[in-house]
Structures are given as C-alpha cells and as structure tokens.
C-alpha cells in the first residue's frame, strides 16, 4: 500500500487547505464511503449474470456534505462505466 502523501488526493487536499487559509477557496476535503449494490455483470464467455456489491472510499473536494456525496457517487459511476 502506498503512503497517503503519494496519493493525488493528499496533494489536492493540501492545495485546497492552502487556498482556504488564504481565503481563496471554500472547498473542504471529504472522505466518503459509497455502497453500490446490486451491480449486475454478465460474463461474456458464459453469458451468466452475477450480482455483487461494491464499497468504495473516495476523497472528494466539496463545499458541503451533500455536494461531497454527489461527487463520490459520480466517481463510482464513472469507474463502473469503464
């Protein structure tokens, strides 16, 4: 596991912290756990459909809790589209 200071979320948070201290930004870092279930996937070889759940923790920058929740859900949706 990589140290947190090597993660892009750390640097994004640090930049926003500096901007907040200067009065330039009102964004805060939120760590959000998103539960997505059931997700149905179909195996291309066998044609079998399986349901499974997924938990994902994301660090997002937002002005409030509700915006952070929306941003984290969108990140999970984007990841599932790939």
């Amino acid at each position: 596991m990589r140290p947190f200071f090597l993660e892009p979320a750390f640097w994004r948070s640090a930049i926003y912290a500096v901007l907040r201290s200067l009065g330039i930004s009102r964004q805060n870092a939120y760590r959000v756990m998103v539960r997505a279930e059931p997700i149905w996937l179909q195996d291309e070889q066998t044609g079998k459909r399986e349901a499974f759940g997924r938990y994902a923790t994301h660090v997002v920058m937002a002005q409030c809790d509700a915006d952070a929740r929306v941003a984290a859900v969108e990140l999970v949706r984007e990841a599932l589209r790939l």
Side-chain angles (χ1 to χ4, degrees), residues 22-76:
L22 296 173
I24 298 172
S25 175
R26 293 186 180 150
Q27 302 262 335
N28 293 311
Y30 290 89
R31 182 173 287 232
V32 183
M33 179 178 273
V34 180
R35 185 179 107 187
E37 75 172 316
I39 298 170
W40 292 91
L41 294 180
Q42 185 168 358
D43 187 349
E44 292 179 3
Q45 295 174 350
T46 63
K48 183 179 173 185
R49 289 185 64 192
E50 292 185 36
F52 71 96
R54 172 188 166 141
Y55 286 91
T57 302
H58 292 287
V59 176
V60 296
M61 302 304 296
Q63 291 186 6
C64 64
D65 292 343
D67 292 345
R69 192 176 307 119
V70 169
V73 168
E74 187 57 34
L75 285 174
V76 171

